[in-house]
Amino acid sequence: MEQYTGFNHRIQQSIIENWNRNALTDYKGATLQYHDVARKIEKLHIMFENSGVVRGDKIALAGRNSAAWAAAFLAVLTYGAVAVPILHEFTAEQMHNIVNHSDAKLLFVGDVVATEIDATKMPKLEGIIYIPDYSLKLSRTDKLTYAREHLNELFGKKYPKYFRPEHVKYYHESDPEELALINYTSGTTGFSKGVMLPYRALWSNNDFAEHVLGHEIKPGDNVISILPMAHMYGLAFEFIFEFISGCHIYYLNRVPSPVIIAKAFAEVKPKIIISVPLIIEKIIRKKVFPKIQDPKIKLLLKLPGINRKIFEKVCEEVTNAFGGNFYQVIVGGAAFNQEVETFLSQIGFRYTVGYGATECAPIICYADYKDFVPGSCGKAALHMQVEIDSPNPQTVPGEILVKGPNVMLGYYKNEEATKECIDKDGWFHTGDLGLMDADGNVFIKGRSKNMLLGSNGQNIYPEEIEDKLNSMNMVSESVVIQDGEKLVGLVYPDYEAANEKGYNNDNLMEIMEENKQLLNAILPSYCRLNTIELHAEEFAKTPKRSIKRYLYMR
């Protein structure tokens, strides 16, 4: 690893250097400049100090993305406390469990979370702070009450004349191994685990981003934050890297539907787009695919000379749908649908697919769109080593193992789980299966935990079957499960399109029977579906938009 220069130092430098630039904007709301963020950080530091918070204390944050959430998170780190971001989509019970398990001393809550939680279920908390204005929702100590009530007075005493860049002096962690934050996994297979991420992991992820994107991302550039900041992917690459780079970050506070996202892209024109496949796929399926289903267009696409021009035109349209100003779209967090990826590759769209895990804060693999091999998720990222645990990594899928400064310290209060996934040589066992070609490109084959065993001992990867099924007529999303020795496809149909066409459930079942025949014709005999069953509502998902498979197992 290159010389460690301190992570909080980078935050400090960005604030000083970008003092009068726009920093954080709630979309359709107020804007904070870098000096405004510095002022909020300073006030929160004064409140922490006067309420008895010491370095190393845990401070949790649960709320939707917003400028005030971002400033509070920065205040926690730069004070030397340990941040515990909690996904606001978690249930109240999950939030109580995480606050208690993490030993959090304070909890920041957003407007929705504030109405859902029950303070009596979190007896060790000293206070609950309301994110929008940092007012107290609950105080269990006189010190905290006094600190908040006299905050402006205490700030005025400390800075009687003015607050300027020279006053920005943050806690500088001297040990890269020091704990910076605990991030609780969404846990598609059961209970969340608290991932302990040291400063070196945050520093290394940021250093990687500066190396691969620093040539394109400049101070003053606009970006949009779509993914939850309480998830490492959104936190590292839609917030921390951009803030340290001096960018202007826009937060979509409401649930970002494709319509809101498309509108925001057109207005903000972001310089880089970080996304999960689901968002990209929805925009492509709703806005682009219908246009190229026209019989005339289909005919023209078959003519070699003309199809290139049409592809260029379609690529321009897709690019404009994302604001038209971006260097590339980086997709991660889940598998990309093959049909959509093939289409984007065919038209020459500037996209790439990365791979990561919360336990690596999050980056593991990446390649710039110019070097990206479609179907892969790039190569080992800067500072990281990646190996496939297989006798022949090019042809036989094996578990993906990773090593490097991005890897967590372990799971909080869970040595057993830590030992299960980090071996004595420091390799993190991801639980994902993959292949690696001769050039080091990694191809994900599925989760080892999701792998099904065929009747003759064959390995069946349900994600590969689902990928094909999801591209078929009237299929919105699917889960392939095992029922005894039979494979069943659970399908949530595209009810919106069905209503438009006047289809009822009988029509949909006829279509699914056709889909099953078509699908089975292209699958090996041991992973063919026995039946397809209609599912009346969307499948339950984690905040990372992965389907919670364990809910549908039989």
Side-chain angles (χ1 to χ4, degrees):
M1 188 165 88
E2 292 175 27
Q3 185 60 40
Y4 179 80
T5 52
F7 180 75
N8 281 334
H9 179 69
R10 291 188 171 195
I11 294 171
Q12 178 177 307
Q13 285 307 107
S14 177
I15 286 174
I16 293 168
E17 288 165 14
N18 298 292
W19 193 251
N20 290 316
R21 289 186 194 279
N22 289 339
L24 312 170
T25 293
D26 291 328
Y27 184 58
K28 302 296 183 193
T31 293
L32 298 180
Q33 293 193 315
Y34 277 82
H35 64 84
D36 297 319
V37 176
R39 199 177 182 86
K40 285 186 183 296
I41 288 172
E42 199 59 34
K43 284 194 170 183
L44 287 172
H45 283 184
I46 289 169
M47 188 157 85
F48 296 159
E49 192 179 344
N50 286 276
S51 62
V53 173
V54 297
R55 281 167 190 156
D57 277 344
K58 320 294 189 302
I59 298 179
L61 304 98
R64 293 177 297 177
N65 286 9
S66 67
W69 191 107
F73 173 83
L74 293 173
V76 174
L77 277 198
T78 55
Y79 185 77
V82 175
V84 183
I86 303 174
L87 287 150
H88 71 278
E89 287 110 327
F90 279 165
T91 64
E93 190 185 356
Q94 285 174 310
M95 290 188 201
H96 301 152
N97 289 342
I98 290 171
V99 167
N100 294 335
H101 185 267
S102 67
D103 304 307
K105 199 168 190 174
L106 296 175
L107 169 64
F108 282 85
V109 294
D111 51 359
V112 177
V113 174
T115 64
E116 294 172 344
I117 55 163
D118 179 352
T120 63
K121 303 277 176 68
M122 300 174 285
K124 289 185 282 186
L125 268 186
E126 290 186 5
I128 297 175
I129 301 162
Y130 189 56
I131 290 172
D133 60 6
Y134 305 144
S135 59
L136 290 181
K137 281 280 177 193
L138 168 81
S139 175
R140 289 186 173 134
T141 74
D142 293 340
K143 275 184 170 183
L144 178 59
T145 306
Y146 181 88
R148 183 60 187 95
E149 283 178 359
H150 297 83
L151 191 52
N152 287 332
E153 184 189 322
L154 292 166
F155 183 84
K157 270 186 192 166
K158 193 169 182 182
Y159 304 105
K161 291 183 180 173
Y162 46 70
F163 178 67
R164 288 189 177 164
E166 58 266 29
H167 296 127
V168 176
K169 290 184 175 65
Y170 294 153
Y171 169 68
H172 287 181
E173 71 291 349
S174 54
D175 182 3
E177 296 297 314
E178 186 182 328
L179 181 62
L181 67 95
I182 304 174
N183 200 207
Y184 282 78
T185 62
S186 51
T188 44
T189 49
F191 297 105
S192 285
K193 294 193 282 278
V195 176
M196 295 191 289
L197 294 169
Y199 275 102
R200 62 162 158 77
L202 301 187
W203 180 90
S204 178
N205 267 272
N206 191 70
D207 200 52
F208 148 79
E210 283 183 2
H211 272 80
V212 297
L213 295 170
H215 57 95
E216 291 296 331
I217 307 301
K218 300 284 183 265
D221 281 345
N222 290 347
V223 288
I224 296 176
S225 171
I226 299 168
L227 308 172
M229 284 192 289
H231 190 274
M232 280 315 301
Y233 183 33
L235 186 69
F237 301 129
E238 280 189 330
F239 170 43
I240 291 174
F241 161 64
E242 286 83 352
F243 189 86
I244 288 175
S245 301
C247 293
H248 182 186
I249 304 160
Y250 288 79
Y251 291 109
L252 302 183
N253 327 63
R254 288 182 294 160
V255 177
S257 69
V259 174
I260 292 168
I261 292 168
K263 194 165 178 285
F265 281 147
E267 289 175 22
V268 176
K269 302 191 184 310
K271 195 62 194 286
I272 189 88
I273 293 169
I274 313 288
S275 186
V276 289
L278 195 74
I279 291 169
I280 304 295
E281 286 164 18
K282 277 189 173 176
I283 290 172
I284 299 293
R285 287 188 192 282
K286 292 280 180 192
K287 295 207 168 248
V288 183
F289 277 178
K291 291 179 183 174
I292 57 172
Q293 297 307 317
D294 183 284
K296 287 178 192 168
I297 300 286
K298 279 185 171 176
L299 181 66
L300 291 171
L301 284 172
K302 288 176 184 167
L303 305 172
I306 299 171
N307 72 7
R308 190 175 56 81
K309 285 180 182 163
I310 288 182
F311 283 148
E312 282 173 9
K313 184 74 184 155
V314 171
C315 184
E316 192 182 318
E317 216 167 285
V318 178
T319 301
N320 288 337
F322 292 96
N325 188 42
F326 59 88
Y327 171 64
Q328 65 180 355
V329 173
I330 302 173
V331 180
F336 212 174
N337 176 270
Q338 227 172 343
E339 183 194 20
V340 173
E341 182 171 3
T342 302
F343 165 73
L344 292 178
S345 178
Q346 201 175 30
I347 65 172
F349 186 70
R350 297 191 305 279
Y351 82 98
T352 186
V353 179
Y355 165 60
T358 303
E359 288 86 348
C360 291
I363 201 69
I364 294 172
C365 293
Y366 170 86
D368 188 272
Y369 81 91
K370 293 170 189 157
D371 312 310
F372 175 67
V373 175
S376 79
C377 59
K379 303 176 183 183
L382 179 72
H383 305 313
M384 296 298 281
Q385 294 169 256
V386 178
E387 286 187 0
I388 307 291
D389 187 11
S390 161
N392 188 342
Q394 291 190 40
T395 56
V396 180
E399 187 175 12
I400 301 170
L401 311 181
V402 301
K403 192 178 187 180
N406 294 12
V407 176
M408 66 174 178
L409 296 168
Y411 296 114
Y412 190 55
K413 298 182 187 171
N414 197 337
E415 277 184 48
E416 196 182 322
T418 303
K419 283 175 184 167
E420 273 176 28
C421 69
I422 300 179
D423 65 30
K424 60 181 185 349
D425 298 316
W427 288 93
F428 169 59
H429 294 241
T430 62
D432 293 325
L433 299 167
L435 298 168
M436 186 188 284
D437 68 15
D439 297 319
N441 292 296
V442 174
F443 298 80
I444 309 281
K445 302 312 284 182
R447 287 285 297 172
S448 57
K449 285 176 183 168
N450 296 343
M451 191 184 77
L452 306 173
L453 209 57
S455 53
N456 294 325
Q458 310 95 329
N459 293 344
I460 300 167
Y461 303 109
E463 294 97 336
E464 294 189 352
I465 305 171
E466 290 156 8
D467 189 75
K468 292 178 173 63
L469 183 54
N470 289 346
S471 296
M472 296 184 138
N473 191 18
M474 302 306 291
V475 177
S476 185
E477 54 185 13
S478 65
V479 179
V480 171
I481 61 167
Q482 212 162 11
D483 193 357
E485 290 190 358
K486 294 171 181 172
L487 290 180
V488 178
L490 305 179
V491 166
Y492 171 62
D494 187 341
Y495 281 116
E496 198 181 319
N499 290 337
E500 283 172 13
K501 294 177 191 290
Y503 291 166
N504 59 24
N505 265 15
D506 290 341
N507 303 133
L508 285 172
M509 277 314 298
E510 283 172 25
I511 291 167
M512 293 310 150
E513 188 55 37
E514 285 172 22
N515 286 344
K516 189 186 83 174
Q517 306 293 342
L518 291 168
L519 180 66
N520 286 346
I522 55 173
L523 289 173
S525 58
Y526 64 86
C527 55
R528 287 178 186 153
L529 295 187
N530 184 260
T531 52
I532 288 181
E533 295 176 11
L534 294 184
H535 202 71
E537 52 194 35
E538 272 194 53
F539 296 107
K541 296 181 187 70
T542 70
K544 203 175 76 172
R545 307 304 289 161
S546 313
I547 291 171
K548 294 181 177 179
R549 292 175 174 277
Y550 63 94
L551 295 176
Y552 306 101
M553 297 305 165
R554 291 180 183 171

